[in-house]
Amino acid sequence: GESVGLHLPTLSVQEGDNSIINCAYSNSASDYFIWYKQESGKGPQFIIDIRSNMDKRQGQRVTVLLNKTVKHLSLQIAATQPGDSAVYFCAESFSGTYKYIFGTGTRLKVLA
Amino acid sequence: SQTIHQWPATLVQPVGSPLSLECTVEGTSNPNLYWYRQAAGRGLQLLFYSVGIGQISSEVPQNLSASRPQDRQFILSSKKLLLSDSGFYLCAWSFTGSEQFFGPGTRLTVL
């Protein structure tokens, strides 16, 4: 079935550097994508989303890039801070469904 | 603004005991509601979702059930818990085609 996966289970980044978290999706019909941040023991928090009619969307210190040709999604975090340490999930959805498919997650560790 | 509540925050139950987890949403109407389970260090597994009162869709066959007695109330239940039911249970709400908002979660340990 369709799945959303991540290339790297753990990413260690030096404080102040930029982080890039990647995600691959398999359903070419997916038209809505979301990134979530989950801190230990808490529920996931919405970071940023993008629809399939866009290639790039920027938020505060975060950018999501969507490459529909290779079915790839990435989250870029600028000037990574200790508070960015968490597990990051991508999720996909498509029109006509109420469901969201989540990837397995990438743990981001920020090194001081 | 919208808020979502879950309780209890943590729960320790013996095998074979019943379960009832509750989720309520404030500040919105007619939301889609979801129950997920997350094993330690793993992703989110969709268990149930509901698009309206009394409407429940089950994603994973198991000894769990869900009910939506009111528009903004979603309940996860079991008659007899199994060891494998241990995990972090998350409730979420959304409108179709937009982001999901998650509750704080319930940590369930079945002994």
Side-chain angles (χ1 to χ4, degrees):
Chain A
E2 288 79 31
S3 66
V4 177
L6 296 170
H7 298 305
L8 299 173
T10 303
L11 177 65
S12 296
V13 176
Q14 204 69 33
E15 181 179 354
D17 288 351
N18 296 335
S19 302
I20 299 176
I21 301 172
N22 297 302
C23 177
Y25 64 95
S26 58
N27 187 353
S28 57
S30 293
D31 56 9
Y32 181 56
F33 304 88
I34 313 168
W35 279 102
Y36 287 93
K37 172 186 180 183
Q38 186 177 26
E39 297 176 324
S40 181
K42 298 182 179 180
Q45 292 177 283
F46 170 84
I47 303 173
I48 192 168
D49 59 1
I50 189 168
R51 298 195 182 275
S52 59
N53 60 351
M54 300 175 68
D55 297 322
K56 178 180 179 179
R57 190 161 188 229
Q58 289 184 293
Q60 187 177 11
R61 280 203 308 120
V62 295
T63 300
V64 55
L65 298 177
L66 176 62
N67 186 330
K68 295 180 287 293
T69 302
V70 295
K71 291 183 283 188
H72 184 265
L73 189 71
S74 68
L75 176 70
Q76 300 179 0
I77 304 173
T80 311
Q81 302 170 2
D84 294 327
S85 293
V87 177
Y88 290 80
F89 292 96
C90 63
E92 65 173 316
S93 184
F94 36 96
S95 301
T97 182
Y98 302 103
K99 297 191 292 185
Y100 301 76
I101 300 172
F102 284 80
T104 53
T106 293
R107 182 174 300 280
L108 177 65
K109 292 185 178 180
V110 181
L111 307 174
Chain B
S1 63
Q2 302 90 0
T3 55
I4 179 168
H5 304 279
Q6 284 186 247
W7 65 90
T10 59
L11 189 60
V12 180
Q13 292 285 95
V15 170
S17 63
L19 173 73
S20 181
L21 302 181
E22 189 162 346
C23 171
T24 58
V25 180
E26 296 178 354
T28 187
S29 297
N30 302 316
N32 299 328
L33 296 174
Y34 304 81
W35 278 112
Y36 290 89
R37 178 169 60 204
Q38 185 176 34
R42 305 292 293 275
L44 280 69
Q45 178 188 32
L46 178 63
L47 302 176
F48 301 93
Y49 68 94
S50 171
V51 301
I53 296 173
Q55 301 179 60
I56 308 295
S57 296
S58 175
E59 289 297 301
V60 182
Q62 59 211 330
N63 67 320
L64 299 173
S65 62
S67 62
R68 185 172 178 173
Q70 301 180 48
D71 180 46
R72 290 169 288 179
Q73 183 185 30
F74 206 23
I75 298 171
L76 183 70
S77 304
S78 175
K79 293 182 179 179
K80 289 186 178 182
L81 283 168
L82 306 173
L83 287 174
S84 58
D85 291 324
S86 294
F88 192 45
Y89 288 81
L90 289 157
C91 181
W93 77 270
S94 76
F95 293 125
T96 302
S98 64
E99 68 267 31
Q100 284 189 314
F101 297 94
F102 286 84
T106 294
R107 175 77 58 192
L108 172 66
T109 302
V110 182
L111 301 175

